[in-house]
Amino acid sequence: MYQLLDPKSFVVFITGATSGFGAAAARRYVEAGGKVIATGRRGDRLKELRAELGAENCHIIELDVQDRKAIDAAIAALPAPFDKINIVLANAGLALGLQPAAEADVADWETMIATNITGLVYTVRALLPGMIARGGGHVVTLGSVAGDYPYPGGSVYGATKAFVKQFALNIRSDVQGKNIRVTNIEPGLTETEFSLVRFKGDEGKASKPYENTKAMNAEDIAETIVWSTLLPQHVNVNRLQVMATTQAFGNFDIYRG
């Protein structure tokens, strides 16, 4: 089913690997025979992940993707065999708040833009030249169905994910002929820490989107990510939108006041 890469050269750089999609993808890639560079801001969780996966399979870096100099320094200091990166999973991202635009906290907007957009472009820009020089690789970005479909309270979050989508498509054009694949994974309703972060630790609010339904989980999305990257090299999945079976498209919102 998969074209498994040579484990000696199969290295994945993952941002946001302390929870959710990033942590699940790290586990799945190691299971598939690869080595993982797991990065994130929560050092304790990174250490737990390394203990679980083994130091020979998982190299950890405590890193904030908003810090471009730190990203560059971390990549420059990578030890062998983790320095020959094949796949970049630019996963770090978040949503904050669900208020209408006129009531939203501008600081939340700034954080989403800095992480979902600026952190993403820093990560990809730092790692792309090395993959090109080594003769190939794969950039995976984490978008969202919110990048296509608006919803109340999702103004800046949805806009950041629309950026991610277009950024990935444009990179795809830039790397034509360089044996670099680019894929934007666009999940829908998935139960992770996403809502807990969005509602700043309010477990009651965070659980509401998943009540009385069957959402996807982090492992479902990790499997989708891994599948897209381990297809034969001549196959590129440009965009992959994934939704829970219980999630579909609603009617237009028409004001009748």
Side-chain angles (χ1 to χ4, degrees):
M1 179 179 175
Y2 294 149
Q3 175 183 299
L4 292 179
L5 303 177
D6 180 353
K8 295 179 181 178
S9 63
F10 174 19
V11 180
V12 188
F13 187 99
I14 303 176
T15 63
T18 58
S19 65
F21 303 152
R27 296 183 180 99
R28 185 64 187 85
Y29 273 120
V30 169
E31 181 185 337
K35 296 186 183 301
V36 166
I37 303 158
T39 76
R41 293 180 300 169
R42 291 175 285 188
D44 54 341
R45 290 200 179 187
L46 291 175
K47 290 174 184 176
E48 290 172 3
L49 186 64
R50 181 177 60 188
E52 175 189 342
L53 299 179
E56 70 280 9
N57 298 317
C58 180
H59 178 74
I60 62 172
I61 306 172
E62 192 169 341
L63 184 66
D64 186 339
V65 294
Q66 298 177 40
D67 188 338
R68 180 167 60 88
K69 290 182 179 179
I71 294 173
D72 292 341
I75 293 167
L78 284 171
F82 295 97
D83 56 341
K84 303 294 189 293
I85 296 164
N86 304 98
I87 299 168
V88 177
L89 174 52
N91 164 74
L94 77 168
L96 290 173
L98 199 61
Q99 301 95 333
E103 302 170 19
D105 186 337
V106 174
D108 287 347
W109 283 3
E110 291 172 334
T111 300
M112 286 187 279
I113 291 167
T115 306
N116 301 358
I117 295 179
T118 306
L120 166 72
V121 301
Y122 285 170
T123 300
V124 174
R125 178 61 181 84
L127 290 161
L128 192 55
M131 291 195 296
I132 292 173
R134 287 187 292 275
H138 200 142
V139 175
V140 181
T141 55
L142 250 295
S144 168
V145 295
D148 275 344
Y149 307 109
Y151 60 85
S155 54
V156 168
Y157 175 71
T160 65
K161 291 305 180 177
F163 176 93
V164 173
K165 173 186 66 180
Q166 197 62 32
F167 181 61
L169 291 173
N170 285 335
I171 292 172
R172 180 86 173 87
S173 295
D174 286 345
V175 298
Q176 177 69 312
K178 300 185 184 302
N179 198 33
I180 301 289
R181 298 187 290 177
V182 184
T183 300
N184 191 43
I185 303 293
E186 304 168 15
L189 185 68
T190 312
E191 188 167 5
T192 63
E193 292 182 3
F194 177 85
S195 280
L196 195 62
V197 172
R198 163 167 261 171
F199 295 112
K200 302 178 181 179
D202 187 324
E203 295 183 1
K205 287 184 179 179
S207 65
K208 287 289 184 184
Y210 314 113
E211 285 183 353
N212 302 316
T213 193
K214 178 67 174 177
M216 298 183 292
N217 57 41
E219 288 70 28
D220 297 328
I221 303 306
E223 184 66 25
T224 303
I225 292 166
V226 173
W227 170 81
S228 72
T229 57
L230 298 185
L231 289 168
Q233 188 63 36
H234 66 281
V235 179
N236 188 95
V237 178
N238 299 322
R239 298 176 60 190
L240 187 54
Q241 195 171 94
V242 189
M243 294 171 69
T245 305
T246 56
Q247 184 181 27
F249 307 98
N251 298 327
F252 284 114
D253 183 5
I254 301 173
Y255 178 66
R256 304 182 188 279

PDB file of all heavy atoms in Angstrom, residues 35-47:
ATOM      1  N   LYS A  35      12.325   8.304  11.305  1.00  0.00           N
ATOM      2  CA  LYS A  35      12.834   9.034  12.461  1.00  0.00           C
ATOM      3  C   LYS A  35      12.155  10.404  12.480  1.00  0.00           C
ATOM      4  O   LYS A  35      11.858  10.970  11.428  1.00  0.00           O
ATOM      5  CB  LYS A  35      14.349   9.177  12.388  1.00  0.00           C
ATOM      6  CG  LYS A  35      15.083   7.831  12.453  1.00  0.00           C
ATOM      7  CD  LYS A  35      16.572   8.017  12.520  1.00  0.00           C
ATOM      8  CE  LYS A  35      17.281   6.670  12.500  1.00  0.00           C
ATOM      9  NZ  LYS A  35      16.881   5.789  13.613  1.00  0.00           N
ATOM     10  N   VAL A  36      11.940  10.916  13.675  1.00  0.00           N
ATOM     11  CA  VAL A  36      11.152  12.132  13.844  1.00  0.00           C
ATOM     12  C   VAL A  36      11.932  13.172  14.632  1.00  0.00           C
ATOM     13  O   VAL A  36      12.600  12.848  15.626  1.00  0.00           O
ATOM     14  CB  VAL A  36       9.834  11.798  14.581  1.00  0.00           C
ATOM     15  CG1 VAL A  36       9.151  13.058  15.072  1.00  0.00           C
ATOM     16  CG2 VAL A  36       8.902  11.006  13.676  1.00  0.00           C
ATOM     17  N   ILE A  37      11.853  14.412  14.161  1.00  0.00           N
ATOM     18  CA  ILE A  37      12.297  15.560  14.950  1.00  0.00           C
ATOM     19  C   ILE A  37      11.023  16.215  15.462  1.00  0.00           C
ATOM     20  O   ILE A  37      10.253  16.802  14.692  1.00  0.00           O
ATOM     21  CB  ILE A  37      13.099  16.554  14.106  1.00  0.00           C
ATOM     22  CG1 ILE A  37      14.304  15.865  13.476  1.00  0.00           C
ATOM     23  CG2 ILE A  37      13.535  17.751  14.946  1.00  0.00           C
ATOM     24  CD1 ILE A  37      14.834  16.573  12.255  1.00  0.00           C
ATOM     25  N   ALA A  38      10.763  16.077  16.746  1.00  0.00           N
ATOM     26  CA  ALA A  38       9.535  16.591  17.351  1.00  0.00           C
ATOM     27  C   ALA A  38       9.823  17.930  18.014  1.00  0.00           C
ATOM     28  O   ALA A  38      10.684  18.025  18.884  1.00  0.00           O
ATOM     29  CB  ALA A  38       8.993  15.593  18.375  1.00  0.00           C
ATOM     30  N   THR A  39       9.101  18.960  17.588  1.00  0.00           N
ATOM     31  CA  THR A  39       9.320  20.288  18.159  1.00  0.00           C
ATOM     32  C   THR A  39       8.026  20.824  18.755  1.00  0.00           C
ATOM     33  O   THR A  39       6.926  20.445  18.348  1.00  0.00           O
ATOM     34  CB  THR A  39       9.843  21.280  17.099  1.00  0.00           C
ATOM     35  OG1 THR A  39       8.763  21.697  16.244  1.00  0.00           O
ATOM     36  CG2 THR A  39      10.942  20.663  16.259  1.00  0.00           C
ATOM     37  N   GLY A  40       8.174  21.728  19.708  1.00  0.00           N
ATOM     38  CA  GLY A  40       7.023  22.341  20.351  1.00  0.00           C
ATOM     39  C   GLY A  40       7.474  23.168  21.529  1.00  0.00           C
ATOM     40  O   GLY A  40       8.652  23.178  21.896  1.00  0.00           O
ATOM     41  N   ARG A  41       6.534  23.853  22.139  1.00  0.00           N
ATOM     42  CA  ARG A  41       6.871  24.756  23.240  1.00  0.00           C
ATOM     43  C   ARG A  41       6.891  24.065  24.598  1.00  0.00           C
ATOM     44  O   ARG A  41       7.500  24.577  25.538  1.00  0.00           O
ATOM     45  CB  ARG A  41       5.885  25.925  23.279  1.00  0.00           C
ATOM     46  CG  ARG A  41       5.992  26.857  22.078  1.00  0.00           C
ATOM     47  CD  ARG A  41       4.991  27.999  22.176  1.00  0.00           C
ATOM     48  NE  ARG A  41       3.622  27.498  22.224  1.00  0.00           N
ATOM     49  CZ  ARG A  41       2.557  28.236  22.522  1.00  0.00           C
ATOM     50  NH1 ARG A  41       2.710  29.513  22.823  1.00  0.00           N
ATOM     51  NH2 ARG A  41       1.342  27.708  22.525  1.00  0.00           N
ATOM     52  N   ARG A  42       6.229  22.911  24.724  1.00  0.00           N
ATOM     53  CA  ARG A  42       6.110  22.255  26.025  1.00  0.00           C
ATOM     54  C   ARG A  42       7.166  21.151  26.153  1.00  0.00           C
ATOM     55  O   ARG A  42       6.977  20.031  25.692  1.00  0.00           O
ATOM     56  CB  ARG A  42       4.698  21.710  26.201  1.00  0.00           C
ATOM     57  CG  ARG A  42       3.659  22.821  26.346  1.00  0.00           C
ATOM     58  CD  ARG A  42       2.243  22.306  26.406  1.00  0.00           C
ATOM     59  NE  ARG A  42       1.754  21.883  25.098  1.00  0.00           N
ATOM     60  CZ  ARG A  42       0.493  21.537  24.856  1.00  0.00           C
ATOM     61  NH1 ARG A  42      -0.404  21.584  25.834  1.00  0.00           N
ATOM     62  NH2 ARG A  42       0.120  21.165  23.656  1.00  0.00           N
ATOM     63  N   GLY A  43       8.274  21.522  26.786  1.00  0.00           N
ATOM     64  CA  GLY A  43       9.407  20.608  26.887  1.00  0.00           C
ATOM     65  C   GLY A  43       9.096  19.321  27.614  1.00  0.00           C
ATOM     66  O   GLY A  43       9.625  18.254  27.258  1.00  0.00           O
ATOM     67  N   ASP A  44       8.245  19.379  28.642  1.00  0.00           N
ATOM     68  CA  ASP A  44       7.920  18.169  29.394  1.00  0.00           C
ATOM     69  C   ASP A  44       7.224  17.145  28.514  1.00  0.00           C
ATOM     70  O   ASP A  44       7.522  15.937  28.585  1.00  0.00           O
ATOM     71  CB  ASP A  44       7.058  18.507  30.612  1.00  0.00           C
ATOM     72  CG  ASP A  44       5.798  19.294  30.270  1.00  0.00           C
ATOM     73  OD1 ASP A  44       5.732  19.892  29.172  1.00  0.00           O
ATOM     74  OD2 ASP A  44       4.858  19.314  31.097  1.00  0.00           O
ATOM     75  N   ARG A  45       6.327  17.614  27.653  1.00  0.00           N
ATOM     76  CA  ARG A  45       5.624  16.680  26.762  1.00  0.00           C
ATOM     77  C   ARG A  45       6.564  16.114  25.705  1.00  0.00           C
ATOM     78  O   ARG A  45       6.434  14.960  25.300  1.00  0.00           O
ATOM     79  CB  ARG A  45       4.445  17.376  26.101  1.00  0.00           C
ATOM     80  CG  ARG A  45       3.312  17.687  27.057  1.00  0.00           C
ATOM     81  CD  ARG A  45       2.027  17.912  26.302  1.00  0.00           C
ATOM     82  NE  ARG A  45       0.913  18.186  27.184  1.00  0.00           N
ATOM     83  CZ  ARG A  45      -0.344  18.290  26.767  1.00  0.00           C
ATOM     84  NH1 ARG A  45      -0.625  18.149  25.480  1.00  0.00           N
ATOM     85  NH2 ARG A  45      -1.315  18.542  27.607  1.00  0.00           N
ATOM     86  N   LEU A  46       7.491  16.936  25.226  1.00  0.00           N
ATOM     87  CA  LEU A  46       8.465  16.439  24.254  1.00  0.00           C
ATOM     88  C   LEU A  46       9.320  15.334  24.868  1.00  0.00           C
ATOM     89  O   LEU A  46       9.596  14.318  24.216  1.00  0.00           O
ATOM     90  CB  LEU A  46       9.350  17.582  23.771  1.00  0.00           C
ATOM     91  CG  LEU A  46       8.686  18.645  22.894  1.00  0.00           C
ATOM     92  CD1 LEU A  46       9.661  19.766  22.610  1.00  0.00           C
ATOM     93  CD2 LEU A  46       8.184  18.044  21.579  1.00  0.00           C
ATOM     94  N   LYS A  47       9.719  15.512  26.101  1.00  0.00           N
ATOM     95  CA  LYS A  47      10.525  14.492  26.780  1.00  0.00           C
ATOM     96  C   LYS A  47       9.736  13.195  26.946  1.00  0.00           C
ATOM     97  O   LYS A  47      10.283  12.094  26.792  1.00  0.00           O
ATOM     98  CB  LYS A  47      11.001  15.013  28.129  1.00  0.00           C
ATOM     99  CG  LYS A  47      12.056  16.108  28.014  1.00  0.00           C
ATOM    100  CD  LYS A  47      12.391  16.710  29.374  1.00  0.00           C
ATOM    101  CE  LYS A  47      13.368  17.868  29.232  1.00  0.00           C
ATOM    102  NZ  LYS A  47      13.638  18.544  30.527  1.00  0.00           N
TER     103      LYS A  47
END
